[in-house]
């Protein structure tokens, strides 16, 4: 179902796992968002430098540059761009670790379509495109 609050948002999906990526793409397509994909942290940093994103969905475990490292690098170039960690680690201290590495929030896998869209709306509504 289209989500009016997200219709004009441009999202960067950072995810090395193809099934996870497809799941995100299906939800975002359905919500009417536009998005691009990076398959590791380094690619994410390069894309963010070029700009144009309203928010980044950042997997944590990835090759080349993991989500924590990528988030730190993104903070050096885009101070206010919302970065949401998408992590399978529902263990104690993960939220603190995400925040310490410059991420704004986190979503634990597996998540529902509703939960993902709720986070995206929460972090993209009511403000101008961050970090531009
Ligand atoms: Mg991964």
């Amino acid at each position: 179902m289209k989500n009016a609050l997200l219709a004009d948002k441009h999202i960067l999906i950072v995810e090395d796992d193809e099934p996870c990526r497809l799941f995100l793409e299906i939800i975002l397509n359905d919500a009417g968002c536009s998005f691009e994909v990076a398959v590791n942290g380094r690619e994410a940093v390069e894309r963010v430098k070029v700009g144009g994103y309203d928010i980044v969905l950042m997997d944590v475990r990835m090759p080349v540059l993991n989500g924590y490292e990528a988030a730190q690098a993104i903070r050096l170039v885009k101070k206010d761009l919302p970065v949401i960690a998408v992590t399978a680690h529902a263990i104690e201290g993960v939220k603190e670790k995400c925040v310490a590495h410059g991420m704004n929030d986190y979503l634990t896998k597996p998540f529902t379509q509703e939960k993902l869209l709720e986070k995206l709306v929460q972090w993209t509504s009511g403000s101008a495109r961050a970090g531009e």
Side-chain angles (χ1 to χ4, degrees), residues 53-67:
Y53 302 107
D54 294 286
I55 190 164
V56 177
L57 290 172
M58 179 75 79
D59 182 30
V60 171
R61 295 184 76 168
M62 288 183 295
V64 189
L65 207 61
N66 69 36

Side-chain angles (χ1 to χ4, degrees), residues 2-74:
K2 290 239 184 299
N3 186 310
L5 294 170
L6 295 173
D8 62 340
K9 305 303 180 198
H10 194 47
I11 297 163
L12 180 62
I13 297 174
V14 189
E15 173 64 72
D16 66 313
D17 181 72
E18 195 174 3
C20 289
R21 214 155 55 218
L22 281 175
F23 181 63
L24 287 166
E25 289 178 19
I26 288 165
I27 293 173
L28 296 184
N29 264 327
D30 197 41
C33 308
S34 65
F35 58 85
E36 285 172 50
V37 171
V39 299
N40 64 57
R42 180 163 298 156
E43 202 182 309
V45 175
E46 293 310 312
R47 283 182 176 273
V48 164
K49 281 181 184 168
V50 175
Y53 302 107
D54 294 286
I55 190 164
V56 177
L57 290 172
M58 179 75 79
D59 182 30
V60 171
R61 295 184 76 168
M62 288 183 295
V64 189
L65 207 61
N66 69 36
Y68 295 123
E69 296 165 329
Q72 276 188 318
I74 284 171

Side-chain angles (χ1 to χ4, degrees), residues 109-129:
K109 295 173 187 173
F111 51 83
T112 61
Q113 173 172 3
E114 189 182 16
K115 191 71 194 167
L116 172 66
L117 296 181
E118 185 187 302
K119 285 279 187 207
L120 291 173
V121 168
Q122 182 191 337
W123 286 101
T124 60
S125 59
S127 61
R129 181 167 291 175

